[in-house]
Amino acid sequence: MKRFVYADNSATTKISKTVLDSMMPYLTDEFGNASSLYSMGGKARLAVDTAREQIANAIGASAREIYFTSGGSEADNWAIKGTAKAMLKEGKKHIITSKFEHHAVLHTLSSLERDGFEITYVDVNENGIVNPCDVEKAIREDTGLVTIMYANNEIGTIQPIKEIGAICRKHGIPFHTDAVQAVGNVPINVNEQNIDMLSMSAHKFHGPKGVGALYLRRGTVVHTLINGGAQEFGRRAGTENTAGVVGMGVAIEEAVKTMESRNENNRKIRDYIIENALKIPRSRVNGDMEHRLSGNVNMCFEGIEGESLLLMLDYNGIQASSGSACTSGSLDPSHVLLSIGLPHEIAHGSLRLSFGDGNTMEDAEYIMSVLPDIIARLRAMSPLWDSIKENEKNVH
Ligand SMILES: *Cc1c(COP(=O)(O)O)cnc(C)c1O
């Protein structure tokens, strides 16, 4: 029987009921400006302060180090461009990153490259992990920033953040991590893990869209990106998104509280799907199985196009993704799959399923009841598959 399955939690998540309820007062009667001095503003101010505490607690920071933004993209832009501007004053122009960052980081860096900055893109190994030694080797006299993502948004691999952070600290270089996929899914402590700047986004952990935060370690020199009023300790202008930040605070608290049970549930779903989908001929899993987000499945099936697979899954009620949401719609294969060494023709046939709150083993069983047939049907229509079979005959 057809079933609706949302399996794209890395693209965005459903807002939780408690989060929505916590936001409602600030969208209705408590609409005051958090920076106003009368009592209605005071209530909004208290709500914003509480959310700041909740977020700080979730990553082992202090509230004064949390700055609200419009989401993960703004946090990444701010950390990188704000540091770049500070670097100029010191005569530094070199930044280190990895080849498989989110576009919010990669495109920000290419804009800096056009302004004369030099970027080193360190390799990712075939399992989707950055080697801290490669980061260290890339360090130059004029390196002023290292930015490496915490968990990859396509293949879910978790990076050795603490080790990379330790290297940066040893060399006196600020370390930023895009932790948008990690926050709420893995335990984070910015002090133990030597993190100076960290980006997060509420809608990736069952909070509202359009709100995120940047953690800035006390003393980190970062120029302002959004100029204007004196909000966010004078470092990020704009009237506070009271309802949004309240929702984000409640969402992060919930995510941390339910982390263990959610991870256990997601791991079962993930492992069941991978184990069974690997029985499909000419299939493979992308990314390390050990250092991996519990809810991430990323596989390739030779001889098919990811886009056709998504349409067929959608027709069967399954919402999934091929590569990242930002690249679907273009025919280029994912830069993440290319970075782990997959050839173009294989990278094209990729599928990402990402699970979150609300997914069940019934979802997993339903997916596996339709996936093998869909792949067989697509292959039967595929000229690509014909030529693969032809080559096989010639080899044997
Ligand atoms: C979703 C995502 C972003 C962008 O966050 P927004 O809040 O949607 O701007 C950045 N980095 C990673 C790794 C993401 O998954």
Side-chain angles (χ1 to χ4, degrees):
M1 228 198 21
K2 185 163 164 178
R3 183 182 170 93
F4 181 84
V5 178
Y6 183 74
D8 203 13
N9 286 274
S10 286
T12 195
T13 57
K14 181 180 179 176
I15 194 166
S16 93
K17 175 80 171 66
T18 33
V19 168
L20 181 63
D21 289 347
S22 74
M23 294 170 67
M24 281 314 277
Y26 302 97
L27 291 165
T28 51
D29 295 337
E30 297 295 343
F31 60 87
N33 187 320
S35 297
S36 298
L37 294 177
Y38 41 78
S39 52
M40 204 186 201
K43 273 200 176 164
R45 164 61 47 209
L46 275 180
V48 170
D49 289 345
T50 303
R52 211 184 295 282
E53 290 276 351
Q54 288 167 317
I55 288 155
N57 288 341
I59 60 167
S62 78
R64 192 60 183 73
E65 299 171 307
I66 303 296
Y67 299 83
F68 289 111
T69 66
S70 64
S73 299
E74 185 194 322
D76 286 341
N77 270 265
W78 183 11
I80 295 170
K81 291 176 181 165
T83 305
K85 225 172 177 180
M87 281 165 61
L88 285 180
K89 291 223 163 111
E90 297 183 58
K92 295 182 174 170
K93 58 169 187 188
H94 181 236
I95 298 173
I96 299 170
T97 189
S98 81
K99 284 190 174 147
F100 77 162
E101 298 294 310
H102 190 274
H103 284 142
V105 167
L106 286 181
H107 291 170
T108 300
L109 289 171
S110 47
S111 87
L112 290 178
E113 252 174 333
R114 291 190 289 274
D115 291 339
F117 285 87
E118 290 171 18
I119 320 290
T120 298
Y121 300 88
V122 301
D123 279 328
V124 175
N125 75 11
E126 77 236 28
N127 290 329
I129 310 275
V130 171
N131 183 343
C133 296
D134 291 342
V135 174
E136 186 154 35
K137 275 184 226 143
I139 292 174
R140 313 192 315 207
E141 199 75 357
D142 62 344
T143 305
L145 172 66
V146 171
T147 172
I148 304 280
M149 73 196 317
Y150 201 121
N152 184 271
N153 48 298
E154 289 187 36
I155 56 178
T157 51
I158 297 168
Q159 306 306 310
I161 291 302
K162 183 179 176 178
E163 289 75 11
I164 297 170
I167 288 168
C168 293
R169 182 129 322 155
K170 187 171 95 188
H171 292 268
I173 301 166
F175 174 47
H176 167 252
T177 185
D178 174 343
V180 173
Q181 292 289 334
V183 170
N185 291 320
V186 297
I188 296 179
N189 184 301
V190 288
N191 293 318
E192 282 169 16
Q193 294 176 292
N194 310 306
I195 298 165
D196 298 315
M197 293 174 266
L198 178 147
S199 304
M200 62 175 100
S201 177
H203 75 101
K204 301 287 172 82
F205 49 84
H206 301 279
K209 290 171 182 58
V211 58
L214 179 64
Y215 156 77
L216 285 179
R217 176 178 298 282
R218 206 183 301 266
T220 313
V221 187
V222 178
H223 285 228
T224 297
L225 181 70
I226 308 289
N227 297 101
Q231 293 91 352
E232 301 302 305
F233 314 112
R235 296 180 82 175
R236 194 277 187 186
T239 301
E240 293 85 348
N241 174 3
T242 312
V245 308
V246 165
M248 182 172 179
V250 172
I252 207 167
E253 227 176 50
E254 255 180 18
V256 170
K257 216 181 289 165
T258 58
M259 189 185 294
E260 246 175 82
S261 58
R262 178 164 20 92
N263 279 340
E264 196 184 307
N265 184 54
N266 285 345
R267 212 170 284 125
K268 275 189 203 137
I269 295 172
R270 176 193 78 186
D271 293 348
Y272 173 87
I273 291 178
I274 291 178
E275 189 188 322
N276 285 286
L278 277 176
K279 293 176 186 159
I280 297 170
R282 288 189 172 262
S283 59
R284 56 162 282 148
V285 187
N286 302 313
D288 198 88
M289 277 306 295
E290 191 185 332
H291 306 282
R292 186 187 197 97
L293 293 174
S294 64
N296 176 287
V297 173
N298 190 302
M299 297 187 68
C300 283
F301 304 98
E302 281 183 52
I304 62 166
E305 288 286 346
E307 276 75 13
S308 339
L309 178 55
L310 292 193
L311 290 177
M312 298 278 273
L313 285 171
D314 186 22
Y315 181 77
N316 283 279
I318 300 164
Q319 318 292 296
S321 155
S322 175
S324 69
C326 321
T327 39
S328 33
S330 87
L331 278 176
D332 292 335
S334 130
H335 69 285
V336 174
L337 297 181
L338 297 180
S339 79
I340 61 169
L342 292 192
H344 276 241
E345 62 278 14
I346 292 180
H348 266 303
S350 73
L351 170 67
R352 179 187 73 182
L353 300 164
S354 46
F355 300 98
D357 271 347
N359 286 117
T360 60
M361 273 308 283
E362 285 75 48
D363 292 344
E365 284 159 13
Y366 174 67
I367 290 171
M368 286 321 298
S369 75
V370 298
L371 184 66
D373 285 345
I374 292 176
I375 288 167
R377 275 167 63 197
L378 288 173
R379 282 176 171 171
M381 298 186 287
S382 156
L384 227 82
W385 183 244
D386 285 344
S387 67
I388 290 170
K389 296 308 262 183
E390 211 38 57
N391 282 342
E392 212 165 45
K393 261 188 242 148
N394 295 340
V395 172
H396 296 302

